[in-house]
Amino acid sequence: MMNTIEIKKYGTFLVSRPEGRDAALVIKHQILPLIVEDSIIIDFEGVSVMTPSWLDEVMQEIVIKFSKDKIVFKNILPGSVEESLKLVLENL
Amino acid sequence: MQGELSNVQKRELAQWFNDGLDCDYIVSNWCENRGQFNGRLSSYSSVLKNKFSEPCLSLLLASLGEIGNNCFDHNLGHWQNQQPGCLFVRGAAFAIVADRGRGIKKSLGSVLVDTDPNELLEIAYTQIVTGRAPEKRGNGLKFVTRSLKQCGVNLETHTDNLYFMNKENVGLEFTQKELNNQGVFTYLSWS
């Protein structure tokens, strides 16, 4: 799917905020401009550890282009992916 | 890896935290930058994987990552004794992440100027606030509190004569008198 962001392409152990910022900049400049659909899928398959700091950096960029109701999250495993996502979405 | 700290190690940790005194134990657990910290954190998972379910292993590693993030996010250019970095001790049943930076009273106090400084540590762990305003951030320690509670991991944090703990019916591993510095010292333990 052209409108899917596979998070594992940025790593599977996603901890530091600067690394999240790096991923966010790639997504902002190289991925989002290519998406023509009005919705986006974010796929967490394969991600073992993720912090809210990492995810927050990425989501801050995505919600500039897509409202929260146009974002679909896939493969949210219980653990740090699920809890980080919950916390970041609460505060976006 | 050891299951608990020896008295000698506890003393060495306190001497480093309070007065910046180095020794082999501190040097061998030192992370000068985020890359070193993340590398040590990533390899820690092989030690812990038989002790925790997959979700809890993921939450514990992410929590340690968030605590380590804070060491670097809030202290760049503010280290005491020009000693950049943080301490990361990895045990079989405990972990320590600590820095001799400017501490929560200074980082968060610069944003929450009307708040009682003695409440800042608890606020950092229980509310969404940021010590880096106007940036919209500050989920990290709230995530740590939630995650560790789910997985039965004990936490105690000391900073600037304050402490926060998430455990009931368990004493502090370090007393306030033992750890007396403005930096942040966090001790996690599990059975």
Side-chain angles (χ1 to χ4, degrees):
Chain A
M1 296 276 287
M2 292 299 289
N3 65 336
T4 299
I5 294 179
E6 292 177 77
I7 296 296
K8 68 181 175 191
K9 288 183 176 175
Y10 304 88
T12 57
F13 194 91
L14 305 167
V15 171
S16 89
R17 189 176 278 283
E19 285 172 4
R21 188 69 199 140
D22 286 347
L25 290 173
V26 170
I27 289 168
K28 176 184 180 182
H29 294 293
Q30 298 173 20
I31 308 294
L32 294 181
L34 303 178
I35 297 177
V36 293
E37 291 89 343
D38 67 352
S39 65
I40 188 169
I41 298 167
I42 300 177
D43 188 347
F44 294 102
E45 186 197 0
V47 177
S48 58
V49 174
M50 185 166 68
T51 63
S53 291
W54 190 95
L55 183 63
D56 183 52
E57 292 291 335
V58 168
M59 291 306 301
Q60 295 279 353
E61 291 300 340
I62 292 173
V63 295
I64 292 171
K65 179 162 178 177
F66 294 95
S67 59
K68 278 202 260 182
D69 61 332
K70 296 290 183 185
I71 305 173
V72 176
F73 299 100
K74 273 178 66 181
N75 295 311
I76 307 163
L77 284 178
S80 61
V81 172
E82 183 181 42
E83 291 302 319
S84 293
L85 185 59
K86 213 183 287 178
L87 195 59
V88 168
L89 288 178
E90 275 173 25
N91 296 285
L92 272 179
Chain B
M1 283 185 181
Q2 352 165 203
E4 57 184 37
L5 288 167
S6 69
N7 286 336
V8 171
Q9 287 165 339
K10 284 185 71 175
R11 193 168 60 244
E12 288 176 340
L13 286 163
Q15 285 175 339
W16 162 76
F17 186 66
N18 296 340
D19 303 318
L21 295 181
D22 261 348
C23 63
D24 289 347
Y25 185 61
I26 299 300
V27 171
S28 63
N29 289 292
W30 191 251
C31 302
E32 187 172 325
N33 53 51
R34 292 178 195 272
Q36 287 176 355
F37 180 87
N38 288 340
R40 290 170 60 84
L41 180 64
S42 175
S43 62
Y44 199 17
S45 62
S46 62
V47 176
L48 301 179
K49 69 181 177 192
N50 294 327
K51 292 183 175 282
F52 292 96
S53 64
E54 248 179 71
C56 278
L57 178 61
S58 168
L59 287 169
L60 175 57
L61 292 171
S63 296
L64 286 164
E66 277 296 357
I67 296 167
N69 273 341
N70 280 346
C71 291
F72 294 98
D73 287 348
H74 297 290
N75 294 318
L76 283 175
H78 298 288
W79 312 106
Q80 297 169 45
N81 299 2
Q82 286 82 48
Q83 186 186 31
C86 81
L87 186 75
F88 182 19
V89 181
R90 303 169 301 169
F94 72 93
I96 294 168
V97 179
D99 65 71
R100 285 175 39 85
R102 60 181 174 157
I104 285 175
K105 275 189 189 172
K106 281 194 178 153
S107 59
L108 204 50
S110 65
V111 181
L112 302 179
V113 288
D114 296 326
T115 304
D116 179 350
N118 295 321
E119 293 176 8
L120 290 172
L121 180 58
E122 183 158 356
I123 287 172
Y125 271 108
T126 55
Q127 297 178 24
I128 302 292
V129 288
T130 178
R132 304 206 326 179
E135 298 171 53
K136 197 183 168 189
R137 291 166 171 169
N139 298 319
L141 293 181
K142 181 114 186 260
F143 169 84
V144 170
T145 313
R146 283 188 189 181
S147 299
L148 298 184
K149 189 176 177 187
Q150 276 186 43
C151 298
V153 174
N154 299 322
L155 169 143
E156 68 181 67
T157 293
H158 300 259
T159 180
D160 222 347
N161 293 317
L162 302 177
Y163 74 91
F164 175 85
M165 62 195 292
N166 73 342
K167 51 196 176 183
E168 290 169 11
N169 306 321
V170 183
L172 287 167
E173 179 73 13
F174 293 87
T175 65
Q176 278 185 279
K177 206 174 170 184
E178 282 174 313
L179 296 177
N180 182 19
N181 186 273
Q182 69 182 40
V184 180
F185 190 107
T186 300
Y187 174 85
L188 305 185
S189 61
W190 50 88
S191 50

